Amino acid sequence: MKENKIFTRRQAIATGLTAIGGLLLPGCSKPLPPTYGKILRMADLLTYTSQRALLPDQSLVKEYHYGDITSFPATGTTNPADNKLRSNSSEEYGRLQKDAFAKWHLSIEGQVARPGKYSIADIQKFPSRTQITRHTCEEGWTAIAQWTGLPLGHLLESVGILPSARFVNFYAYDGWKDSIDLFDAFHPQTILAYGMNGRSLAIPHGAPVRLRVETQVGYKSMKYLKRIVVTDEFSEMLTPGFSWYAGI
Amino acid sequence: MKISHWIITLSFLFLTYSGYEILMVHPRLYWGEVGNDLTPALFELPISRNYKHGGWDESVPFFDNAESPVSSSRTINIFNENGWGRSLHFISAWFLVITGLIYLITGIVSSHFRNHIWLKLKEFSPRLFLQDISAHFRMQVDPATNGPQYGLLQKTAYTFVIFIVLPLVVITGLTMSPAITAAYPFLLDIMGGFQSARTIHFFASVILEIFLFVHLFMIYKSGFKKNIRFMTLGK
């Protein structure tokens, strides 16, 4: 048998593709956020890393005028106290709702110097931020509303996150769990919102306090907040199947 | 050039498939920045059980006036397969954009566009165009020439798809990203808002699908086997 010594274009391309594949593989074992292994998730990771690398630091999303406020559908959980839900916190939410969330507390724990519990009054003592922004749902619809709340960055500075901290995890009364990185957590428009369109946040929209992550798609803006845990490790907690990073 | 043609074809088929799934989740299109089930649509497509968007609680106004925007809670579980649909769309989009850039650079550097795709100045003649149009109507298609000696309408169609429709579909796609429009808000201004970008994205993809069918038909008319052999083995 005679060996073909000529390095054809086709072989060159095949070798090149194999080499690129080899370069991609180590990326799968790094402790980076989204889950790998799954082919579909690799593109979400690519979107995440390239947006972090290429986009300028902390640009603000477009803010609108008061007259631009539109009708706003409430989707997903619209009341965690609904007995249809299987969340363990459902009953507790029902009780809190009865006295207008006077006994509600947001707990902050994990990699922080001063863990604690914050009532609505405590949260409202911080300087607030009001912004009129567009909610972009992954389903394809959009809506504009005015949100008032405490910038998450202020709260994280006040509890003193430890140098090892990398992710902020959120737990909700409807059983939803999710996390964002510190880049988005310290974005000036990432707020813990307690007001919507000049009124207290209504139950269908996440009362008493919801997250607003304006640089990502709607499902990252978690409603019905219960607990915040700052961690040094990423753990995928979102409902399986949905991309962890949704800046696109 | 030929390999990038096939990678782009494959990405486009996956993008069409996943794009259709994404559209099924919310088969209503709008103009401007905002559109949702509580606002009027430009039009609604009769695809998936989400068509006619039923299942809403009573509306609650936000403000104390008659024209106040409202809030309403959704009471039904809609069709939604966006978990894989969006991720498949974005992985295919990455392939399309990276390969597309390589294709564009190679096409310019190798003079492929100048020699074979772009119309030459002397070809901008109504008489020649009429000739080519009437030949097409009479279904007179020249057999494939084993190389890019393209016809007038063929060149025009390729130029339109490569330099207008595909870039438009990519730019409108990026305009729907909250992180990208935070950094580059001019995208929302030139497209006339998020929902306008979404609607343009939809129509641009329809144009690409029509192009695909005509392209396939012309390949069939001018010798399927010969064309495929030329675009793969190059002989």
Side-chain angles (χ1 to χ4, degrees):
Chain A
M1 267 196 291
K2 225 168 109 184
E3 211 183 325
N4 189 0
K5 284 274 162 65
I6 301 165
F7 196 57
T8 63
R9 186 168 60 165
R10 213 167 296 162
Q11 281 172 328
I13 290 162
T15 314
L17 287 177
T18 319
I20 292 168
L23 285 175
L24 285 174
L25 277 175
C28 305
S29 53
K30 273 185 194 164
L32 271 164
T35 37
Y36 319 98
K38 299 171 191 161
I39 291 171
L40 285 182
R41 288 290 167 265
M42 289 176 74
D44 296 324
L45 168 68
L46 181 60
T47 305
Y48 173 61
T49 48
S50 50
Q51 284 195 358
R52 286 288 179 268
L54 298 174
L55 293 180
D57 275 357
Q58 306 291 36
S59 326
L60 297 185
V61 304
K62 184 175 174 183
E63 294 197 10
Y64 298 81
H65 301 290
Y66 197 72
D68 297 329
I69 292 172
T70 67
S71 292
F72 206 119
T75 59
T77 312
T78 50
N79 188 349
D82 254 346
N83 46 18
K84 274 183 287 179
L85 282 151
R86 268 182 239 128
S87 159
N88 329 329
S89 318
S90 182
E91 254 177 66
E92 192 186 342
Y93 187 86
R95 279 197 301 276
L96 291 169
Q97 188 180 319
K98 277 186 193 125
D99 53 358
F101 302 103
K103 293 195 189 89
W104 174 90
H105 287 98
L106 180 67
S107 138
I108 299 174
E109 46 205 270
Q111 310 266 324
V112 295
R114 293 170 292 277
K117 287 186 169 185
Y118 292 78
S119 67
I120 300 196
D122 296 333
I123 289 176
Q124 288 176 339
K125 268 179 219 149
F126 285 91
S128 73
R129 188 179 205 286
T130 294
Q131 59 200 32
I132 301 173
T133 51
R134 188 190 67 240
H135 180 89
T136 306
C137 182
E138 46 77 31
E139 292 169 11
W141 55 267
T142 48
I144 292 174
Q146 184 196 59
W147 305 99
T148 302
L150 153 66
L152 179 60
H154 288 185
L155 186 64
L156 294 177
E157 275 165 12
S158 141
V159 295
I161 57 167
L162 303 179
S164 56
R166 282 187 73 201
F167 296 98
V168 184
N169 302 264
F170 300 89
Y171 296 80
Y173 276 98
D174 59 352
W176 198 252
K177 296 179 264 184
D178 199 1
S179 64
I180 57 175
D181 65 2
L182 287 185
F183 187 87
D184 274 337
F186 278 94
H187 189 280
Q189 287 166 319
T190 299
I191 62 172
L192 300 171
Y194 44 77
M196 180 186 188
N197 292 338
R199 296 178 183 181
S200 296
L201 190 61
I203 289 170
H205 291 285
V209 175
R210 75 175 293 173
L211 181 65
R212 292 295 313 163
V213 184
E214 305 291 0
T215 48
Q216 294 202 44
V217 160
Y219 65 79
K220 297 297 284 189
S221 291
M222 191 193 279
K223 306 200 274 190
Y224 316 111
L225 290 182
K226 184 184 184 184
R227 199 154 70 95
I228 296 179
V229 183
V230 180
T231 57
D232 54 354
E233 270 188 345
F234 171 78
S235 64
E236 173 128 9
M237 306 187 297
L238 195 64
T239 309
F242 269 83
S243 171
W244 173 79
Y245 183 68
I248 193 157
Chain B
M1 290 309 264
K2 283 170 189 166
I3 288 170
S4 55
H5 168 270
W6 291 111
I7 296 175
I8 290 170
T9 308
L10 207 62
S11 322
F12 174 69
L13 292 176
F14 277 115
L15 280 160
T16 307
Y17 176 63
S18 51
Y20 189 80
E21 183 281 319
I22 295 168
L23 193 60
M24 279 169 76
V25 176
H26 195 77
R28 312 179 88 216
L29 290 155
Y30 315 86
W31 200 255
E33 283 279 26
V34 167
N36 58 58
D37 286 288
L38 310 178
T39 67
L42 210 56
F43 60 93
E44 193 170 17
L45 297 162
I47 53 171
S48 93
R49 65 169 189 261
N50 300 354
Y51 176 53
K52 294 292 179 196
H53 58 100
W56 293 88
D57 261 352
E58 212 178 317
S59 293
V60 182
F62 283 119
F63 309 114
D64 301 321
N65 60 58
E67 288 97 55
S68 164
V70 299
S71 166
S72 175
S73 299
R74 189 161 68 197
T75 54
I76 53 166
N77 272 328
I78 62 160
F79 163 87
N80 190 337
E81 293 288 329
N82 271 353
W84 61 262
R86 284 172 58 90
S87 292
L88 180 61
H89 205 69
F90 301 147
I91 197 170
S92 316
W94 270 111
F95 274 101
L96 179 90
V97 168
I98 292 171
T99 319
L101 287 175
I102 295 170
Y103 174 83
L104 285 178
I105 292 165
T106 318
I108 291 167
V109 172
S110 70
S111 303
H112 174 65
F113 296 142
R114 194 155 45 95
N115 294 340
H116 309 301
I117 304 286
W118 292 334
L119 287 170
K120 303 207 162 39
L121 264 182
K122 62 173 193 287
E123 289 176 320
F124 278 103
S125 126
R127 196 180 53 83
L128 289 176
F129 263 95
L130 279 176
Q131 258 177 22
D132 203 22
I133 289 168
S134 75
H136 276 80
F137 269 112
R138 280 177 278 120
M139 287 287 171
Q140 283 178 355
V141 181
D142 293 339
T145 48
N146 253 7
Q149 287 303 316
Y150 300 141
L152 236 56
L153 288 181
Q154 194 177 6
K155 282 185 178 180
T156 313
Y158 290 173
T159 305
F160 180 62
V161 163
I162 298 168
F163 299 98
I164 295 175
V165 188
L166 280 170
L168 187 66
V169 100
V170 171
I171 292 167
T172 48
L174 292 175
T175 309
M176 287 186 267
S177 154
I180 287 170
T181 50
Y184 307 108
F186 74 90
L187 286 171
L188 285 168
D189 297 333
I190 57 169
M191 290 302 158
F194 175 96
Q195 291 295 346
S196 306
R198 183 168 171 260
T199 303
I200 297 169
H201 194 74
F202 166 74
F203 280 114
S205 80
V206 171
I207 290 172
L208 290 174
E209 278 127 36
I210 294 170
F211 169 79
L212 176 69
F213 284 113
V214 176
H215 190 51
L216 284 172
F217 182 72
M218 297 308 287
I219 290 165
Y220 163 74
K221 287 295 279 185
S222 63
F224 188 77
K225 270 192 180 166
K226 205 175 172 187
N227 275 314
I228 294 294
R229 199 164 60 230
F230 175 72
M231 276 309 285
T232 48
L233 301 169
K235 282 167 196 156

